[in-house]
């Protein structure tokens, strides 16, 4: 699996609704792509100018091919990217990541 978190900030409040609308339209396009396991966009309740995209792809190759799909080419690049600042984070769920604290994952660290 290849998981990705994208944090999007809309600097101009006038662009927030067009970005939200475009993200809504992207979802079915992404989910129809080969290798898309899950794709969801969230809007912050605390900051309506901030969005988080949570993506799960069968492999990194599937995600890379996503760049040529309709969601990216027809919606994301022309309608979203010019209006936002973003952080892209390939990520690993903590439930899948090795414990780096030195504490065995099956034991609790003392309090």
């Amino acid at each position: 699996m290849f998981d990705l978190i994208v944090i999007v900030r809309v600097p101009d409040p006038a662009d927030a609704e067009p970005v939200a609308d475009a993200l809504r339209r992207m979802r079915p396009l992404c989910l129809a792509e080969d290798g898309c396991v899950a794709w969801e966009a969230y809007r912050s309740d605390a900051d309506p100018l901030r969005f988080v995209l949570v993506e799960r792809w069968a492999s990194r190759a599937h995600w890379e091919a996503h760049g040529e799909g309709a969601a990216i080419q027809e919606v994301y690049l022309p309608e979203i990217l010019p209006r936002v600042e973003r952080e892209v984070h390939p990520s690993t769920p903590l439930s899948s990541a090795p414990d780096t604290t030195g504490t065995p994952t099956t034991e609790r660290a003392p309090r």
Side-chain angles (χ1 to χ4, degrees), residues 39-78:
W39 193 98
E40 190 63 67
Y42 295 86
R43 188 176 198 170
S44 170
D45 291 338
D47 180 356
L49 301 180
R50 199 167 299 271
F51 299 84
V52 176
L53 312 180
V54 180
E55 305 179 34
R56 175 163 274 187
W57 297 88
S59 69
R60 185 179 187 105
H62 284 99
W63 172 71
E64 289 171 354
H66 165 63
E68 300 304 316
I72 296 297
Q73 294 298 315
E74 297 173 17
V75 182
Y76 193 77
L77 292 177

Side-chain angles (χ1 to χ4, degrees), residues 82-107:
R83 294 180 159 128
V84 302
E85 298 167 352
R86 69 186 181 135
E87 296 176 32
V88 178
H89 300 274
S91 302
T92 302
L94 291 176
S95 59
S96 300
D99 181 5
T100 59
T101 65
T103 304
T105 56
T106 56
E107 296 180 15

Side-chain angles (χ1 to χ4, degrees), residues 16-46:
E17 286 310 315
V19 167
D21 178 62
L23 288 170
R24 284 183 201 99
R25 289 184 286 115
M26 276 187 68
R27 186 171 190 273
L29 297 173
C30 292
L31 291 172
E33 291 182 35
D34 184 41
C36 184
V37 176
W39 193 98
E40 190 63 67
Y42 295 86
R43 188 176 198 170
S44 170
D45 291 338

